Amino acid sequence: MEIKKGISQMAEYPNMEINYVVPSDGKMYYVLKDGELKNGSIIATLDPKRAVDEKVLCDSIGVFKEDGSVLIDFNKKDIKKITNDLLLVVNACPISNEVINAQASRNDATANSTLKENQVSIVDAMMKEMGITGSMVFSNPFEEANVYKMDSYNNKVGIDCSFIGKSDKELFFHTNDINTQSTKINYTEVDSLVSEKETPTIDSIPAMNNDIESMDQNELKLDIGSDILDGFQKPESEEEKSQADELIDDVNNRMESTDEIVEEKQDAELMNVDSVHTVEEVAVSENKDQVLDNAIAVMKKMIGETSKLNEKIEKLEKELEEKNKLLEAQESKKNELNSLLTEANEVLENIDE
């Protein structure tokens, strides 16, 4: 899979170089820093901001194999290399009961304090268990991760858990439950693990959320690399070049209007029958197959850009949900304070009497 270079047009990260790949689904996937692995695999994301800033949170990180097929699904929060053969993969959405319960009790100060105290104890116990060659590669009681092999699709090594460590001989997995024991896997066992899942096609990657009606239109900005059209085969005749330029100009003009972008995306999800039919009539009548190919490729890229908008909307919705929870917690504390003040006033009145 060819890695291309573009220039960021994002307001927060202007004129920064950003690497990307365009697999068979036509979307743009942005390569993370240190995301080019020795075996040719690529760690990438649908969020361009995450590709240039590791502090940005997202839930669309995954891995492509060198041939463009999916190695790890693009629904992860973070992925990092542990060894040349193993990756640490952090889940965007927890699946273990321990972490689901921990996240549900985030607003409970007592539960949070207990989990953090347990974190220290669990890490200390694991370090003693792993010995002098041991080190922690993941430690967060409110999240979960696993170790994946890079030889087959979604090939997990251990259990999804909050604490992962490694020594020179073994991998160690521990939940955030202090009363459980570590699960140990020897590297020889790791070598024998074979994934039973079939590698999906790129087209089977789940689509992004399509609900963008509540988004402020002024916030919708497309971030496109400067060489987004590089790599397309050039038309041979002047007439073909002229027609290709007209089609590309038409697409760019459409992208300047948010309403038209939304409309094009909806049309594409209905197979874009009308637009494709019109282009086909021109291509057939003029016998310009190459022009049609270029137009379809450009439209695919435009659809990929709208997918990024949907992801941004999902983030804003999550942020709004978190703010609402914070407001509820503050309101609860306010009520509690008012109640205490009332009791205090009653005590003072009794003293005066």
Side-chain angles (χ1 to χ4, degrees), residues 92-156:
C93 296
I95 60 176
S96 65
N97 291 330
E98 294 88 352
V99 176
I100 291 174
N101 294 335
Q103 291 190 358
S105 63
R106 277 187 180 276
N107 294 327
D108 185 330
T110 302
N112 281 353
S113 177
T114 300
L115 282 168
K116 291 178 180 178
E117 290 176 0
N118 289 347
Q119 177 178 7
V120 175
S121 300
I122 291 172
V123 170
D124 286 345
M126 290 181 68
M127 290 301 297
K128 292 178 182 178
E129 191 176 15
M130 290 185 292
I132 59 174
T133 64
S135 63
M136 298 297 299
V137 296
F138 186 76
S139 173
N140 190 331
F142 300 100
E143 295 184 1
E144 66 184 18
N146 207 328
V147 175
Y148 284 57
K149 293 179 64 180
M150 286 193 286
D151 60 355
S152 51
Y153 172 61
N154 277 355
N155 195 353
K156 294 182 180 181

Side-chain angles (χ1 to χ4, degrees), residues 101-276:
N101 294 335
Q103 291 190 358
S105 63
R106 277 187 180 276
N107 294 327
D108 185 330
T110 302
N112 281 353
S113 177
T114 300
L115 282 168
K116 291 178 180 178
E117 290 176 0
N118 289 347
Q119 177 178 7
V120 175
S121 300
I122 291 172
V123 170
D124 286 345
M126 290 181 68
M127 290 301 297
K128 292 178 182 178
E129 191 176 15
M130 290 185 292
I132 59 174
T133 64
S135 63
M136 298 297 299
V137 296
F138 186 76
S139 173
N140 190 331
F142 300 100
E143 295 184 1
E144 66 184 18
N146 207 328
V147 175
Y148 284 57
K149 293 179 64 180
M150 286 193 286
D151 60 355
S152 51
Y153 172 61
N154 277 355
N155 195 353
K156 294 182 180 181
V157 171
I159 61 173
D160 295 286
C161 59
S162 297
F163 302 94
I164 299 176
K166 69 181 182 71
S167 67
D168 58 346
K169 295 181 179 179
E170 295 173 303
L171 292 169
F172 295 76
F173 301 84
H174 200 295
T175 69
N176 60 12
D177 183 353
I178 195 171
N179 297 315
T180 61
Q181 300 295 319
S182 297
T183 298
K184 294 183 287 185
I185 299 180
N186 193 283
Y187 287 121
T188 56
E189 297 178 65
V190 171
D191 293 338
S192 65
L193 293 175
V194 178
S195 174
E196 297 179 355
K197 300 180 181 181
E198 296 182 0
T199 302
T201 62
I202 187 65
D203 295 329
S204 67
I205 293 179
M208 307 298 289
N209 182 11
N210 294 326
D211 182 12
I212 63 174
E213 294 179 358
S214 61
M215 184 71 175
D216 184 347
Q217 298 298 312
N218 294 326
E219 292 296 322
L220 298 177
K221 297 180 180 178
L222 296 180
D223 311 312
I224 305 175
S226 61
D227 61 349
I228 188 173
L229 299 179
D230 285 357
F232 292 140
Q233 183 177 352
K234 300 294 189 298
E236 296 181 357
S237 70
E238 291 299 325
E239 185 177 358
E240 287 177 339
K241 291 179 181 179
S242 176
Q243 290 182 352
D245 290 340
E246 288 177 1
L247 286 169
I248 293 170
D249 289 340
D250 179 63
V251 171
N252 289 332
N253 289 335
R254 290 173 182 268
M255 293 173 72
E256 292 177 359
S257 167
T258 300
D259 292 335
E260 290 180 1
I261 293 171
V262 175
E263 182 180 352
E264 288 292 337
K265 186 178 188 300
Q266 293 171 340
D267 290 343
E269 292 172 342
L270 295 173
M271 301 303 292
N272 205 4
V273 174
D274 293 336
S275 297
V276 173

Side-chain angles (χ1 to χ4, degrees), residues 242-347:
S242 176
Q243 290 182 352
D245 290 340
E246 288 177 1
L247 286 169
I248 293 170
D249 289 340
D250 179 63
V251 171
N252 289 332
N253 289 335
R254 290 173 182 268
M255 293 173 72
E256 292 177 359
S257 167
T258 300
D259 292 335
E260 290 180 1
I261 293 171
V262 175
E263 182 180 352
E264 288 292 337
K265 186 178 188 300
Q266 293 171 340
D267 290 343
E269 292 172 342
L270 295 173
M271 301 303 292
N272 205 4
V273 174
D274 293 336
S275 297
V276 173
H277 180 64
T278 301
V279 175
E280 285 178 349
E281 288 179 349
V282 174
V284 171
S285 63
E286 298 294 335
N287 194 24
K288 308 301 182 185
D289 292 338
Q290 187 59 54
V291 174
L292 175 60
D293 291 340
N294 288 348
I296 292 174
V298 173
M299 292 298 292
K300 283 183 177 180
K301 287 184 178 295
M302 185 184 70
I303 293 169
E305 292 300 320
T306 60
S307 296
K308 294 187 295 179
L309 301 180
N310 291 330
E311 182 183 4
K312 184 174 183 179
I313 292 160
E314 288 184 356
K315 288 184 184 177
L316 292 175
E317 290 175 345
K318 290 180 181 178
E319 290 176 3
L320 179 59
E321 183 179 353
E322 291 296 325
K323 290 179 180 178
N324 287 335
K325 290 181 180 178
L326 179 61
L327 289 174
E328 291 176 1
Q330 291 176 342
E331 186 65 25
S332 176
K333 291 179 180 179
K334 180 180 177 181
N335 293 336
E336 182 180 359
L337 177 60
N338 289 335
S339 177
L340 291 173
L341 288 173
T342 301
E343 292 179 9
N345 288 332
E346 292 176 354
V347 171

